Amino acid sequence: MAKIDFKHTAYGDLAIVSMRGCEDIASKVDYYLKQFREAPEDATYVIPTNCPRFGTGEAKAVLNHTARGLDAFILCDCFNYNVEYKMYGRMVPMSPDDHFQDLKRVIAAFGGKARRITVIMPMLYEGRQHRRTTRESMDCAMALQELVAMGVKNIITFDAHDPRVNNAIPLDGFDNVQATYQMIKNLLRTVPDIKLDREHTMIVSPDEGGMGRCIYYSSVLGLELGMFYKRRNYSVIVNGKNPIEAHEFLGNDITGKDLILVDDMISSGESMLDIAAKLKEKGANRIFVFSTFGLFVEGLEKFDDYYNRGLINKVFTTNLIYQTPELLSREWYCSVNMSKYIALIVDTLNRDNSISSLLDPADRIKNILVKYGQREA
């Protein structure tokens, strides 16, 4: 029986809203959307918004465009610390809380007149505070509930620290998107001599919490999988967490193999670098790091040192959050551009079509492996 090909009309007039700090990726998404839709070069889907500040640091949002009938997609990077505002005569960097508050202001500025509002928040606000282990707040769940209470219909995030947090809003749209295909594609482009087979390459998870994403890489690439587990000292709290006493490896022999370390984020990078050093001691060949979000909260010097000592070879993170010019200039760093992927998701959703095929990139990964000679057609 032939499958019916449904051709949906647009849900509403497409509009992209760029929060402060997202101007670069918003312009790239806009560029691809204009290509997809054959729009004039001087046209734009980005509508003007502003969040001016008073001298005390208080703010408001102003939408300089009609809101009626819009299918609005708001791009928000809550972790862009390069954005500042003036308070009592001093420049203050915007915290994640400041960004999230501005996001709510923009949603409020629509005044309920938009046809639909979708928030694209690549790194989920308070995503690491996703569960309660003692008498403490559940910030991520509260944030999601706030957004849907304000009228947001869909929330799109990338590589959520724990996607089960969507249980906080079970009746509303929540999509957790992975950067798997783009990571593999950039690895093949950057390291053309890599051999993605069981004899030469292995996937390694830096902790038990990241096994889910590593199992996916292992499955689609047909590679063996290893794992480190963190032995922590639960009697002490340092910088808000229990310090790691040691990393223990579980897996087969890695001697002479290229290794791909996969995690959702690099915060300080200390754990990742410690694991890389231990893998080198066990005889690993080259070590490549895949991480959707590169925060590098303690700077780049330690990564420079490990690269110069041959303990890491390349670090791949996406442009979904702010990247410093210093990071982009590093020889060991590779930026994975996600703008076209976001544009595809936006274009598909605006036409009210399913994004299931975009969320599962298994077929595209197989095709790219064939293209680069890693698999037979």
Side-chain angles (χ1 to χ4, degrees):
M1 183 180 292
K3 183 179 177 181
I4 297 175
D5 184 20
F6 292 103
K7 297 294 184 182
H8 292 291
T9 56
Y11 189 89
D13 295 334
L14 176 58
I16 304 295
V17 178
S18 171
M19 301 300 298
R20 288 191 67 193
C22 290
E23 293 84 1
D24 181 58
I25 193 167
S27 67
K28 291 175 180 175
V29 169
D30 186 44
Y31 168 78
Y32 285 114
L33 286 170
K34 288 189 292 185
Q35 279 197 330
F36 298 159
R37 301 185 172 208
E38 299 179 351
E41 280 295 318
D42 57 348
T44 182
Y45 291 104
V46 179
I47 64 173
T49 56
N50 189 24
C51 288
R53 295 267 173 174
F54 300 100
T56 57
E58 298 167 286
K60 64 178 180 180
V62 180
L63 185 67
N64 299 310
H65 191 280
T66 181
R68 292 188 184 277
L70 294 184
D71 186 14
F73 293 81
I74 306 176
L75 284 166
C76 180
D77 176 9
C78 288
F79 299 87
N80 191 334
Y81 59 92
N82 191 50
V83 182
E84 298 178 321
Y85 63 90
K86 185 176 286 188
M87 184 172 70
Y88 290 98
R90 293 181 293 182
M91 297 307 295
V92 180
M94 287 185 68
S95 70
D97 291 342
D98 289 323
H99 282 289
F100 186 68
Q101 196 66 28
D102 273 2
L103 170 62
K104 291 192 293 183
R105 290 183 177 111
V106 168
I107 295 168
F110 275 93
K113 300 300 188 293
R115 187 159 293 172
R116 181 174 62 183
I117 295 178
T118 299
V119 170
I120 301 176
M121 186 185 293
M123 186 169 174
L124 199 57
Y125 172 72
E126 294 290 358
R128 285 184 280 183
Q129 188 54 27
H130 62 283
R131 62 179 177 175
R132 176 177 285 165
T133 56
T134 182
R135 196 166 294 283
E136 58 187 359
S137 60
M138 292 184 64
D139 297 51
C140 188
M142 291 168 59
L144 295 178
Q145 290 174 352
E146 273 191 280
L147 292 178
V148 299
M150 295 184 71
V152 173
K153 297 300 182 185
N154 299 301
I155 297 170
I156 298 173
T157 191
F158 285 75
D159 207 354
H161 192 66
D162 188 343
R164 290 174 296 182
V165 75
N166 72 346
N167 291 334
I169 50 170
L171 301 180
D172 297 276
F174 182 96
D175 290 300
N176 181 39
V177 188
Q178 303 296 326
T180 312
Y181 169 74
Q182 289 79 8
M183 288 287 187
I184 294 171
K185 183 177 181 180
N186 275 267
L187 174 67
L188 293 171
R189 285 178 171 177
T190 308
V191 190
D193 63 332
I194 194 168
K195 296 179 180 178
L196 294 179
D197 57 45
R198 296 174 72 88
E199 294 181 11
H200 300 93
T201 309
M202 186 175 181
I203 303 292
V204 176
S205 175
D207 55 42
E208 59 274 22
M211 279 298 286
R213 62 180 64 87
C214 290
I215 288 171
Y216 187 83
Y217 274 98
S218 173
S219 299
V220 297
L221 294 176
L223 304 179
E224 287 189 344
L225 176 62
M227 185 195 81
F228 274 87
Y229 72 90
K230 299 172 182 177
R231 194 168 75 241
R232 294 181 180 271
N233 183 350
Y234 288 99
S235 65
V236 180
I237 295 178
V238 178
N239 293 330
K241 58 186 178 182
N242 303 108
I244 299 168
E245 289 189 336
H247 290 97
E248 305 290 346
F249 181 68
L250 302 174
N252 293 333
D253 182 30
I254 61 172
T255 304
K257 288 187 177 181
D258 291 334
L259 302 182
I260 302 174
L261 274 171
V262 183
D263 207 355
D264 60 331
M265 71 178 71
I266 295 173
S267 184
S268 67
E270 187 174 338
S271 295
M272 190 72 78
L273 293 174
D274 183 37
I275 287 169
K278 291 184 181 300
L279 291 171
K280 276 292 186 179
E281 290 174 6
K282 293 179 178 293
N285 184 22
R286 296 177 295 183
I287 295 179
F288 307 104
V289 177
F290 284 4
S291 182
T292 307
F293 307 110
L295 301 172
F296 302 101
V297 298
E298 294 182 5
L300 306 173
E301 290 74 18
K302 199 167 184 179
F303 281 85
D304 293 337
D305 176 50
Y306 272 60
Y307 174 70
N308 292 331
R309 290 161 55 192
L311 299 177
I312 59 171
N313 294 84
K314 292 289 182 182
V315 176
F316 296 81
T317 75
T318 69
N319 66 333
L320 292 169
I321 60 172
Y322 173 65
Q323 301 163 300
T324 64
E326 293 77 19
L327 175 64
L328 294 171
S329 69
R330 291 304 200 267
E331 189 175 352
W332 47 263
Y333 180 69
C334 297
S335 177
V336 178
N337 189 354
M338 301 294 292
S339 308
K340 188 174 183 179
Y341 192 27
I342 294 175
L344 280 169
I345 292 172
V346 169
D347 184 59
T348 305
L349 286 176
N350 177 244
R351 298 182 192 278
D352 215 19
N353 286 321
S354 171
I355 60 170
S356 298
S357 61
L358 293 176
L359 299 181
D360 184 4
D363 290 337
R364 284 178 291 144
I365 291 172
K366 290 176 184 176
N367 291 337
I368 201 73
L369 291 174
V370 170
K371 179 181 177 180
Y372 281 86
Q374 299 288 338
R375 300 289 187 274
E376 293 183 1

